[in-house]
Amino acid sequence: MTDPHSSSPVSKSLEQGLYIVATPIGNLGDITLRAVDILQRCDVIACEDTRVTGKLLSHLGISKRMRRYDDHSEEGARRELIDAARAGSVALVSDAGTPLVSDPGFRLVRDAREAGVAVTTLPGACAAIAGLTLAGLPNDRFLFAGFLPVKQKARGEVLQELGAVNTTLIFYETGPRLVKSLDAIAADMPDRRVAVARELTKLHEECRVGSASELVAHYTDHPPKGELVLLIGPPSDDAPVGDPDELLREALETMSPSKAAGQVAKASGLDRKSLYSRAVELKAQ
Ligand code: SAM
C-alpha cells in the first residue's frame, strides 16, 4: 500500500484518486520531489496543453499518457477523468504553477469530491505567493483577486470595491495591459505603494515598488516583457501591522482596554470586539 502523503515512494503503485500537482512558474528547479514522484507513478496526467506539459515531462525524463483538460472541456471529458481517478490515479497539472489558481481544475475537483473520489494536493510554486513574498508589502493579510478585468469600466469597479479593503491586493496582469491598470490605480489610489513582480524565478526576475504614477512613468519608458504580478499595498501601510498583542500592550500603557482596542483595530483592520476581549485579558495579567 502507498501513502499518498509520504514524501518518498513506498512502492510502484499509487492509490486511486485525483492528485493536484503544482509545477514550476519558470525555474524548473522549483518542482517538488513529491510532484516528480506522483508524475512518475500516476496512470494519466490531465493538463491544459500537452505540448507545455510534455516539455516539463521530458525535462524530468518521464513518459506518461496525457489528457487535455480545462474547465470548459465537455462534461463527458470531466466524467471520464473522474472515472479514471476512481479506477486508478490521475495527476492534474496546469501550464505552470498551482492548478485552480487562475487556472483550470475547480470543476474537476468539485465533481471528484462529490463523486467520493479521493483528492490529494501537492503544493508548490504559485506566482501570487512568490510576488507577495518578494514585494515587501504588508502581508499579515492579503487578498488575491485573479486577473483584473480588461474593460476599463469593469476594472474601475473592481479597483473601487477592493480598494476599500484594508489589505494588500494581488492581481495577475499581462505586460500589454500593465500601464492601463497602473493608470487606473494612480487615479483611484494615488498614495498606495504598488509593486510589479515580473518574471518570477526566471533569469530576469525583477520587483519594482513605488507609487502607481512612478511605475506608470517607468513602464511607459520600459514596456514590461514576460509575466507579472501586480500588488497594491493596503491604505495605511506606513504603519505595518505587527503582533496584535504587542500593539495592545503598548496602547494599554496609556489608555483603557476599550480605547486601546479601538486604536489597534483602526491601525490593523482587525476585529475591534476580539481586540477588546484580548485587551481586557492583557490588562488583567
Ligand atoms: N496557476 C498559476 C500560479 O499558480 O501562479 C497562475 C496561472 S495564470 C493563468 C498566469 C498568470 O500568473 C500570468 O499572467 C502572470 O500574471 C502570473 N505568473 C505566472 N508565472 C509568473 C512568473 N514567473 N512571474 C510573474 N508572474 C507570473
Side-chain angles (χ1 to χ4, degrees):
M1 183 122 122
T2 304
D3 175 5
H5 304 290
S6 159
S7 63
S8 58
V10 180
S11 80
K12 271 262 174 220
S13 66
L14 196 56
E15 271 193 19
Q16 290 102 325
L18 174 65
Y19 294 80
I20 304 157
V21 181
T23 57
I25 56 169
N27 188 324
L28 291 175
D30 290 336
I31 188 106
T32 68
L33 295 173
R34 196 169 164 227
V36 175
D37 176 43
I38 297 293
L39 293 175
Q40 269 166 347
R41 292 195 294 144
C42 67
D43 297 321
V44 59
I45 297 176
C47 58
E48 280 183 273
D49 185 328
T50 52
R51 280 164 310 174
V52 174
T53 299
K55 276 190 198 151
L56 174 69
L57 294 181
S58 97
H59 167 80
L60 297 171
I62 296 173
S63 166
K64 188 71 55 171
R65 194 155 59 90
M66 288 182 275
R67 279 286 308 272
R68 212 194 69 74
Y69 174 80
D70 66 37
D71 279 335
H72 306 295
S73 296
E74 302 271 313
E75 184 80 27
R78 193 152 53 244
R79 264 202 307 272
E80 278 175 29
L81 280 176
I82 290 172
D83 287 344
R86 192 181 281 113
S89 50
V90 175
L92 171 70
V93 300
S94 57
D95 283 352
T98 301
L100 283 86
V101 178
S102 292
D103 264 340
F106 153 65
R107 290 195 173 87
L108 181 62
V109 171
R110 178 196 62 193
D111 293 0
R113 299 187 75 84
E114 276 173 12
V117 167
V119 181
T120 303
T121 191
L122 282 77
C126 174
I129 299 300
L132 180 71
T133 57
L134 197 60
L137 295 173
N139 54 22
D140 50 315
R141 304 202 304 174
F142 55 88
L143 194 159
F144 170 67
F147 283 94
L148 271 171
V150 179
K151 295 213 167 113
Q152 189 182 353
K153 185 165 177 280
R155 185 172 53 221
E157 283 167 3
V158 167
L159 286 174
Q160 200 152 40
E161 179 197 349
L162 300 182
V165 186
N166 186 16
T167 172
T168 288
L169 305 173
I170 309 174
F171 299 100
Y172 285 156
E173 188 49 289
T174 64
R177 293 207 289 262
L178 176 66
V179 169
K180 279 196 177 140
S181 293
L182 287 170
D183 266 330
I185 297 165
D188 283 356
M189 305 173 230
D191 302 327
R192 307 269 282 256
R193 280 212 300 157
V194 177
V196 174
R198 206 172 58 78
E199 294 288 82
L200 290 160
T201 76
K202 301 184 199 174
L203 187 61
H204 297 293
E205 177 176 283
E206 170 195 80
C207 184
R208 206 161 267 278
V209 184
S211 69
S213 55
E214 284 165 352
L215 294 174
V216 167
H218 175 82
Y219 286 112
T220 302
D221 289 347
H222 307 87
K225 293 199 182 103
E227 298 185 285
L228 58 94
V229 180
L230 173 61
L231 302 102
I232 307 175
S236 53
D237 82 343
D238 48 334
V241 181
D243 174 2
D245 272 9
E246 259 173 47
L247 294 172
L248 281 173
R249 273 197 198 95
E250 206 181 309
L252 283 168
E253 281 173 21
T254 55
M255 52 188 85
S256 67
S258 161
K259 283 214 167 121
Q263 177 176 293
V264 175
K266 208 166 155 203
S268 64
L270 297 173
D271 176 52
R272 191 183 177 286
K273 250 179 149 179
S274 337
L275 286 168
Y276 174 70
S277 315
R278 185 66 186 142
V280 172
E281 280 171 21
L282 289 173
K283 184 96 186 163
Q285 277 172 14

